Amino acid sequence: MISTIYIEAEIAEHPRTLDILKRFPYASKVACERYGEIFNRKSQNFRLQKKQPALILAKKHKGMVLPTPKQYAIGAEHNYYFSHMLNCLYDCRYCFLQGMFQSAHYVLFINYEDFIEDMHASLEQHNGQAVHFFSGYDCDSLALDPVTNFTDEFLPFFEKNPNALLELRTKSTQTRNLLKRNPIQNCVIAFSFTPDKIASALEHKAPNIEKRLNAIIDLQQAGWQIGLRFDPLIYTKEYKKEYTELFTRLFSRINVDLVHSVSLGSFRLPKAYFRKVEKLYPDEKLFSAPMEEEDNNIGYSAEIRNDMLAFCTNIITQHIPAEKFFPCHETV
Amino acid sequence: MRHLFCALPCEAEPLIQHFKLSELKEHELFRLYQSQDKTISLAITGIGKLNAAAAVTYHHACLQTSSTDIWLNIGVAGHANLAIGEACLINKITDDRHTTTWYPQILFKTDCTSAALITHDAPATEYQAALFDMEASGFYQMALRLGTAELIHCLKIVSDNQEHPVEKINADVVKKLIAKHKTTIEQVLEALRPLAEELNSIKAVPDHYQSLIEQYHFTQSERLHLARLLRQWTVRFPKEDIIQSLRDIKNGKELNKKIHTKLAESDFVIHD
Ligand code: SF4
C-alpha cells in the first residue's frame, strides 16, 4: 500500500486532496512545491521505485487534453487523450511508461474540473461533431478508481454531452463505480488482453484474463459498451495457438454484438524508451526477441509483425464486423 | 559497499567501534575508515555542507565507490518538538540558503519517524517543525551525482528541542545518542541491501564480456552491441555457453554477427 504521499502546496486544501488523504491515515505526508521536483529528477531508478511507489497529489497546469495520433482512432475524426494520472498500479514489462518516466511514483492530478473545462473547449471547437477522448495512455483508467473517484467525477460530463465519447483503457476489475450507475452509450470500457501465458509472464500485478473476462461480462450485462484491445501483440513461438485460444475464449463468452470496437497493434517502443527499459530489466526475455529498429522505433521484425497482424486480423474479423475493427499498423 | 558520513568525531566514534572500522591513514584530507572486508566505510566530514559535499567526493575518489552503493549521512539534529533520542529518516531536505529541495526515496519498511530537514549555513537559533543541521544538503546533492536516490539517505537523531536546548549537548551526550541507535542504523542498512543487490544485478557486466573485449578488437558501439547480445543469449539460453559454440572468429564485428545469427535462428519463447 501507499506509504508516502507528496502533496503540492497549491492543492493541499483542495477537497479532493483532503478526501484522498483521509484514506491513507498512516502514510507519511510530505509537502512539495511542484510534483516535478520528485517525479522528473534524474538519479532515480524506476525499477526500484516500482517496489513501493509513493502517491503524488498535484495540479495539472496545461496540456490537459492533447490530440491523439491518428492511428489510435476508433471511428471519429477528432480524437484527444488526457491523463488525470501518471503511472500505473500494474507492472507490465512491455509498458512504455517505464521508458518515458524517471519515476514509478503515481502522480494524480486532482484538478479534474480543469480537465473537464478543457474537454468542453475541445468539444465546442468541433461544433457538435463526434469527439473521442481517450483515458488510459499514461495510467490504467480504472485501477485506482476507488481512490481517485475518476469515473464518478468525469462521467457526468459525458452524460451531458452525447457527441463526446470516452474510452477508458484498462486491465482492471475495479468496475464497482461503473456498475452502480446507469450505463451511458458514449463510454467504452476498453480491456487489453494478451494470451494467458504471456499475461502471466509479462503483466505483473494485473488481474488475470479470467478476471478481466468476468468484469467484461458483468459490464455488458449492466449495459456498458465494451472495447477489446490487442495492443501490444506479443510474439512467442506458439503465438498462433495462444492467440487462437485467447480469441476463442473471449468471443465465445462475451456478447460480440455488443462490442463497440476492437483494435490491435504489434509491440513497439520508441528507441530511447526501449533502450532504457532494456537496461532496467536486462533479465527480461521480451527484450531479447527478434526486434528491429525502424523510424526510431524498436519492434518485431517486419516479417514477424506482418504475420502476427495478418493472423490475428483474420480471426478477429471472423467475429467482428469490419466497421468495428481498428488495426493500428503504424509505429508509435 | 555502504558508506557512512558523520560531521563530528563524536558522532562517528560509536559507529567506528560497532562496525570495527580502521582508519585509512594514507588518505589525509578527510579521516576515512573502513572495515576489514571493505564492505563498509565511514568519513568524518567536519561541520558544514561544503565540507560534507567535499568529503563525499573525496571518499568516492579514494575508495572507488560504485553507482550501486549505499550512502548514509548519520548525525544529531535539533527539532522543535520531537523527543530527544528519536531516530528520524529524512524524507525532504531543504537547503535554507538556496531553497533547493531534495526528496530521499524511502522504499523500505522502517521503524524510524520520517521527517523533513533544513540545512542551514550557520547554527540555527530558532526551533522549527523540521529537523535542522548543517550538512545534509551538501552530502545529499553530491552523493546523488554518484549513486541513486533510493540508496542515499540521512538518518538524524534528535539531540535538542525547545524544552532541551542545544546548550546542554556535549560530545559524550552525542556519542550516547548515536550508540543507542546502532541497531536502528544496522536495520536501515539491512533494509537497503536488497535494493542495492538488485541494482548490482541489473548493472552486472554479462558473462564473457570482459574476456572477449580483451581478446578481440571492438569499437565502442560494437562493445555495447556485444554486451546486449551476451545478455540476450543468457536470458534465452541460460544453460548454453555461447562461446563454446563459436569457432574461427577473426574480430569483434564477426563475433557479434555470429551471436546475432544464432539468436535469430533459434526459436523465441517468451514464457517457460
Ligand atoms: S496496465 Fe497499461 S499502463 Fe498499467 S503497466 Fe500495464 S501497460 Fe502500463
Side-chain angles (χ1 to χ4, degrees):
Chain A
M1 234 318 103
I2 286 159
S3 60
T4 305
I5 305 180
Y6 298 97
I7 307 146
E8 277 188 0
E10 197 179 342
I11 48 85
E13 297 304 322
H14 192 292
R16 215 166 278 126
T17 303
L18 301 176
D19 227 41
I20 290 168
L21 291 179
K22 264 193 241 148
R23 292 171 166 271
F24 302 99
Y26 302 112
S28 63
K29 323 278 189 303
V30 185
C32 65
E33 279 308 309
R34 294 284 291 126
Y35 77 93
E37 293 175 319
I38 301 137
F39 195 72
N40 295 335
R41 280 265 164 91
K42 293 207 175 100
S43 301
Q44 47 186 341
N45 187 283
F46 193 100
R47 176 166 169 165
L48 295 185
Q49 286 188 4
K50 198 73 195 166
K51 292 174 184 301
Q52 185 61 264
L55 174 63
I56 306 175
L57 300 178
K59 179 175 176 179
K60 180 100 176 156
H61 289 267
K62 55 178 192 232
M64 251 83 73
V65 174
L66 296 165
T68 307
K70 273 258 181 304
Q71 66 265 33
Y72 292 107
I74 49 166
E77 184 67 21
H78 310 294
N79 299 285
Y80 296 90
Y81 75 97
F82 66 101
S83 300
H84 71 295
M85 213 180 139
L86 309 179
N87 273 328
C88 181
L89 219 53
Y90 310 139
D91 191 12
C92 305
R93 199 49 68 239
Y94 51 72
C95 182
F96 78 106
L97 300 177
Q98 309 162 102
M100 188 162 74
F101 296 139
Q102 298 287 339
S103 166
H105 295 330
Y106 313 130
V107 179
L108 177 66
F109 297 115
I110 57 95
N111 52 324
Y112 297 169
E113 43 286 335
D114 295 332
F115 282 86
I116 291 169
E117 204 176 294
D118 273 21
M119 284 177 176
H120 208 90
S122 307
L123 209 53
E124 286 197 335
Q125 198 187 319
H126 298 297
N127 275 331
Q129 294 179 65
V131 181
H132 288 183
F133 294 96
F134 294 82
S135 155
Y137 276 23
D138 297 327
C139 65
D140 182 287
S141 297
L142 297 181
L144 263 181
D145 199 38
V147 173
T148 62
N149 239 4
F150 167 62
T151 50
D152 272 350
E153 302 261 13
F154 278 75
L155 282 174
F157 168 79
F158 291 88
E159 272 165 358
K160 280 187 230 128
N161 294 286
N163 53 335
L165 178 136
L166 171 65
E167 176 184 297
L168 299 169
R169 179 76 69 101
T170 192
K171 290 191 179 83
S172 173
T173 54
Q174 294 289 359
T175 51
R176 214 172 318 150
N177 282 350
L178 291 172
L179 292 173
K180 72 174 195 237
R181 37 184 328 129
N182 287 329
I184 53 170
Q185 292 313 296
N186 55 336
C187 173
V188 179
I189 301 107
F191 283 83
S192 307
F193 286 99
T194 57
D196 237 338
K197 284 185 188 166
I198 295 175
S200 314
L202 298 179
E203 297 172 356
H204 308 291
K205 301 185 198 163
N208 64 28
I209 303 305
E210 187 61 22
K211 286 185 178 154
R212 283 179 233 172
L213 185 49
N214 287 334
I216 289 183
I217 293 167
D218 288 347
L219 285 164
Q220 280 198 323
Q221 281 171 357
W224 288 92
Q225 298 258 34
I226 294 302
L228 298 174
R229 305 290 174 255
F230 304 105
D231 185 358
L233 291 176
I234 300 291
Y235 177 73
T236 188
K237 186 186 166 205
E238 302 275 3
Y239 83 85
K240 289 187 180 169
K241 180 170 164 277
E242 294 188 25
Y243 273 94
T244 304
E245 278 170 13
L246 174 69
F247 295 140
T248 308
R249 185 170 168 193
L250 291 177
F251 292 129
S252 66
R253 305 243 325 256
I254 63 181
N255 187 339
V256 178
D257 295 336
L258 296 181
V259 168
H260 171 274
S261 52
V262 178
S263 66
L264 89 166
S266 162
F267 172 68
R268 70 281 178 203
L269 284 177
K271 185 180 171 188
Y273 295 0
F274 187 97
R275 292 289 175 237
K276 187 182 157 212
V277 186
E278 180 188 45
K279 266 192 200 147
L280 282 175
Y281 297 94
D283 41 2
E284 176 59 60
K285 262 193 187 167
L286 175 69
F287 307 118
S288 65
M291 306 264 187
E292 280 174 3
E293 189 184 327
E294 194 183 318
D295 300 333
N296 230 10
N297 286 286
I298 294 181
Y300 297 124
S301 62
E303 190 190 340
I304 289 180
R305 188 177 64 219
N306 292 338
D307 280 357
M308 287 181 81
L309 288 168
F311 179 81
C312 294
T313 300
N314 182 33
I315 303 189
I316 291 168
T317 49
Q318 289 168 28
H319 297 272
I320 297 289
E323 65 274 15
K324 289 187 176 183
F325 180 55
F326 301 94
C328 168
H329 284 257
E330 291 169 57
T331 44
V332 179
Chain B
M1 284 265 280
R2 295 158 293 168
H3 311 294
L4 314 181
F5 293 80
C6 299
L8 303 168
C10 58
E11 289 170 324
E13 205 182 291
L15 302 174
I16 292 167
Q17 279 171 15
H18 179 70
F19 291 110
K20 300 189 175 56
L21 309 181
S22 314
E23 187 165 0
L24 302 172
K25 293 254 189 311
E26 65 273 30
H27 305 300
E28 290 171 353
L29 212 52
F30 289 90
R31 281 161 68 186
L32 305 187
Y33 299 80
Q34 198 172 41
S35 61
Q36 207 168 13
D37 63 4
K38 301 192 173 169
T39 57
I40 183 156
S41 65
L42 181 146
I44 301 178
T45 67
I47 290 172
K49 64 189 181 197
L50 286 179
N51 276 334
V56 169
T57 316
Y58 186 69
H59 198 86
H60 164 67
C62 295
L63 299 187
Q64 310 282 301
T65 69
S66 128
S67 60
T68 60
D69 286 352
I70 293 166
W71 303 76
L72 189 60
N73 171 219
I74 301 167
V76 294
H79 188 280
N81 45 34
L82 284 177
I84 306 291
E86 183 150 359
C88 302
L89 260 173
I90 305 307
N91 56 23
K92 176 177 179 177
I93 302 167
T94 305
D95 187 290
D96 186 43
R97 173 180 282 249
H98 301 290
T99 57
T100 315
T101 305
W102 297 267
Y103 299 86
Q105 300 296 308
I106 304 171
L107 304 183
F108 50 91
K109 286 212 164 60
T110 169
D111 293 334
C112 299
T113 308
S114 54
L117 175 142
I118 301 169
T119 298
H120 293 276
D121 282 353
T125 48
E126 272 178 33
Y127 287 100
Q128 302 175 35
L131 288 154
F132 55 89
D133 81 342
M134 291 173 63
E135 289 81 28
S137 71
F139 158 80
Y140 194 82
Q141 64 177 309
M142 192 51 76
L144 211 49
R145 289 168 182 255
L146 306 167
T148 181
E150 297 77 16
L151 298 180
I152 306 169
H153 289 280
C154 299
L155 183 81
K156 299 286 174 178
I157 319 290
V158 180
S159 55
D160 51 290
N161 57 25
Q162 259 155 0
E163 285 178 19
H164 302 88
V166 71
E167 293 77 44
K168 293 187 183 163
I169 305 175
N170 57 37
D172 270 350
V173 173
V174 172
K175 273 187 211 167
K176 279 187 193 136
L177 285 169
I178 302 278
K180 226 178 100 189
H181 280 292
K182 285 182 299 203
T183 322
T184 316
I185 293 163
E186 282 214 2
Q187 278 167 357
V188 170
L189 292 172
E190 254 335 281
L192 288 166
R193 187 200 292 265
L195 297 175
E197 282 172 357
E198 184 159 344
L199 209 53
N200 252 317
S201 76
I202 301 171
K203 298 206 171 175
V205 172
D207 288 349
H208 300 304
Y209 176 80
Q210 202 54 43
S211 62
L212 288 171
I213 60 165
E214 281 162 20
Q215 205 176 335
Y216 301 104
H217 172 73
F218 290 88
T219 64
Q220 193 51 35
S221 71
E222 284 165 357
R223 282 183 182 205
L224 288 174
H225 194 201
L226 171 69
R228 198 174 303 128
L229 289 167
L230 289 173
R231 267 192 211 102
Q232 291 183 357
W233 185 270
T234 314
V235 170
R236 283 175 61 180
F237 309 104
K239 290 185 190 130
E240 281 179 49
D241 188 339
I242 176 74
I243 300 309
Q244 299 297 332
S245 60
L246 297 173
R247 307 252 173 274
D248 306 324
I249 305 294
K250 291 188 200 71
N251 54 42
K253 195 173 185 161
E254 193 184 326
L255 179 81
N256 282 358
K257 202 169 163 200
K258 287 209 169 174
I259 305 177
H260 179 84
T261 308
K262 269 188 159 295
L263 281 166
E265 284 170 354
S266 34
D267 287 338
F268 179 78
V269 182
I270 203 154
H271 45 69
D272 298 322

